[in-house]
Amino acid sequence: MDIAFVLYPGMTALDLTGPYEVLAPNPGVRAHFVAATPGPVTCDSGMVITAGSALGDLPRPDVIVVPGGSGWRAALDNETELVAWLAAAYPHATWTTSVCTGSTLLAKAGILTGRPATTHWSVRDVLADLGATVSTERVVIDGDVVTAAGVSAGIDMGLRLAAEVWGEETAQRIQLVLEYDPQPPFDTGSVDSAPPEMVEAVRRLVRG
Amino acid sequence: MDIAFVLYPGMTALDLTGPYEVLAPNPGVRAHFVAATPGPVTCDSGMVITAGSALGDLPRPDVIVVPGGSGWRAALDNETELVAWLAAAYPHATWTTSVCTGSTLLAKAGILTGRPATTHWSVRDVLADLGATVSTERVVIDGDVVTAAGVSAGIDMGLRLAAEVWGEETAQRIQLVLEYDPQPPFDTGSVDSAPPEMVEAVRRLVRG
């Protein structure tokens, strides 16, 4: 199983690292880090991750994982090669997935038209404008497409996908390996529970 | 504020990415990725992260973040330069932190002797043998040392630390940016809730 973990400048590292840490260690998986140009890719808060392959080197991955990032708007404008690769690779992939604003790239590639999908809460209208039927769920599985809400939701998405691919017991075991028994210190992780003025401040921040 | 995110071969990417994503974007933070040798560092499931600096280039960071990884045992044996750097840097740092088995490296550097600390559940005895007073809490704050349990606990640790450094409102806002409203699909993230045979299988896996 070839998994394409997609990289582009301005992505958020945790968007990708969540599902990667769940999916990559499993038997038979070949984890590929792919970008328009191979080499170092700088994430939105400075971490640098290496793309080992060009997109064109991996035209038919079995699983595709697309992260979001603070650079989501620039990516929508500039990552034309990535969007074209997604459109071409999707029909052949078993699973096509995104985390956070990464779903806007799937939508731009025409993969989400008329389909239920989720994204970071602050850009739901952007995803709707790109043709998706926006869900407020944390993880949305619609046939062969799996989308996750903001950043940390990629861990939940990865575990849900692992259960689909390898069965629940394997996914449960991975959850134990990752000691994923979260204890968020505050009740502000959701747009429904955070104070309205905080929601507005973060909305402005993420939308740029 | 200079934050040293420590890299070494065989580390787990998510251990570092969790606290990085919480801490690095804040105003005034300079995020440094440091390793014994600058350049690409390969994590335990294949992701390659670039160390921009050598340990010796950053002798006095304000905050230190040490990840764990499947390579924890080799790191204890081989990362002598890292352990010496930790021992020398710790007295000058405001906060010294670890995620998962990273606490064994803090312990080897003499930082945890007789102090409460946590680690991945499968190596609690190793941490005790290295002199720490092992806690089963997910995040332990003991003075200027903050340790987290396995892998995903680094997100909780980062948010707790952010609250200490910048105040609760900032930490709450970061939690909303990361949409950290976890929905683990299973009840197997803790050694207390997972089935005993699964616990034993994962223990053998992680301990190698």
Side-chain angles (χ1 to χ4, degrees):
Chain A
M1 177 183 290
D2 290 300
I3 304 185
F5 294 100
V6 171
L7 306 177
Y8 58 87
M11 59 168 276
T12 295
L14 184 52
D15 287 17
L16 200 70
T17 313
Y20 151 81
E21 215 63 82
V22 173
L23 302 173
N26 292 286
V29 168
R30 286 179 297 268
H32 305 265
F33 294 85
V34 298
T37 307
V41 176
T42 303
C43 299
D44 51 8
S45 294
M47 183 180 279
V48 177
I49 304 175
T50 301
S53 316
L55 293 166
D57 293 338
L58 196 73
R60 300 273 175 104
D62 300 295
V63 180
I64 299 168
V65 183
V66 181
S70 303
W72 67 270
R73 203 185 293 269
L76 273 182
D77 289 342
N78 303 332
E79 294 293 332
T80 50
E81 188 176 340
L82 168 55
V83 169
W85 177 85
L86 286 171
Y90 163 67
H92 308 282
T94 310
W95 298 98
T96 299
T97 77
S98 68
V99 180
C100 198
T101 56
S103 54
T104 63
L105 292 165
L106 296 190
K108 186 142 190 202
I111 297 166
L112 300 182
T113 307
R115 300 178 71 158
T118 190
T119 191
H120 193 277
W121 58 266
S122 67
V123 299
R124 287 174 182 161
D125 60 323
V126 176
L127 191 63
D129 288 346
L130 289 164
T133 302
V134 175
S135 165
T136 59
E137 294 293 312
R138 190 160 174 83
V139 177
V140 174
I141 302 181
D142 181 57
D144 56 1
V145 174
V146 189
T147 52
V151 194
S152 60
I155 301 175
D156 300 325
M157 186 276 280
L159 289 167
R160 293 277 300 277
L161 180 57
E164 296 282 338
V165 174
W166 295 289
E168 290 207 348
E169 193 176 323
T170 295
Q172 288 165 351
R173 199 173 62 238
I174 297 167
Q175 191 176 328
L176 180 59
V177 172
L178 302 182
E179 205 162 350
Y180 188 47
D181 177 34
Q183 294 176 10
F186 307 108
D187 188 28
T188 56
S190 158
V191 69
D192 299 321
S193 57
E197 63 278 13
M198 185 175 288
V199 168
E200 284 317 305
V202 172
R203 191 192 305 274
R204 284 193 301 273
L205 176 77
V206 177
R207 294 181 65 104
Chain B
M1 177 183 291
D2 290 299
I3 305 185
F5 295 100
V6 171
L7 306 176
Y8 57 88
M11 59 169 276
T12 294
L14 184 53
D15 287 18
L16 200 70
T17 314
Y20 150 81
E21 215 64 82
V22 173
L23 302 173
N26 292 286
V29 168
R30 286 180 297 268
H32 306 265
F33 294 84
V34 299
T37 307
V41 176
T42 303
C43 300
D44 50 8
S45 295
M47 183 180 279
V48 177
I49 303 175
T50 301
S53 316
L55 293 166
D57 294 338
L58 195 73
R60 299 273 175 102
D62 301 294
V63 180
I64 299 169
V65 183
V66 181
S70 303
W72 67 270
R73 203 186 293 270
L76 272 182
D77 289 343
N78 303 333
E79 293 293 332
T80 50
E81 187 177 341
L82 168 55
V83 169
W85 177 85
L86 286 171
Y90 163 68
H92 307 283
T94 310
W95 299 98
T96 299
T97 78
S98 67
V99 179
C100 197
T101 56
S103 54
T104 63
L105 292 165
L106 296 189
K108 186 141 189 202
I111 296 167
L112 299 183
T113 306
R115 300 178 71 158
T118 190
T119 191
H120 192 277
W121 59 266
S122 67
V123 298
R124 287 173 183 162
D125 60 322
V126 176
L127 191 64
D129 288 346
L130 288 164
T133 303
V134 175
S135 163
T136 60
E137 294 294 312
R138 190 160 174 83
V139 177
V140 174
I141 302 181
D142 181 58
D144 56 2
V145 174
V146 189
T147 51
V151 193
S152 60
I155 301 175
D156 300 325
M157 186 277 279
L159 289 166
R160 293 277 300 276
L161 180 57
E164 296 284 335
V165 174
W166 294 290
E168 290 207 347
E169 194 176 324
T170 295
Q172 289 165 351
R173 199 172 61 237
I174 298 167
Q175 190 176 328
L176 180 59
V177 172
L178 303 182
E179 205 163 350
Y180 188 47
D181 176 33
Q183 295 176 12
F186 309 108
D187 188 29
T188 56
S190 157
V191 69
D192 299 321
S193 58
E197 64 277 13
M198 186 176 286
V199 168
E200 284 317 305
V202 172
R203 192 191 305 275
R204 283 194 302 273
L205 176 78
V206 176
R207 294 181 64 104

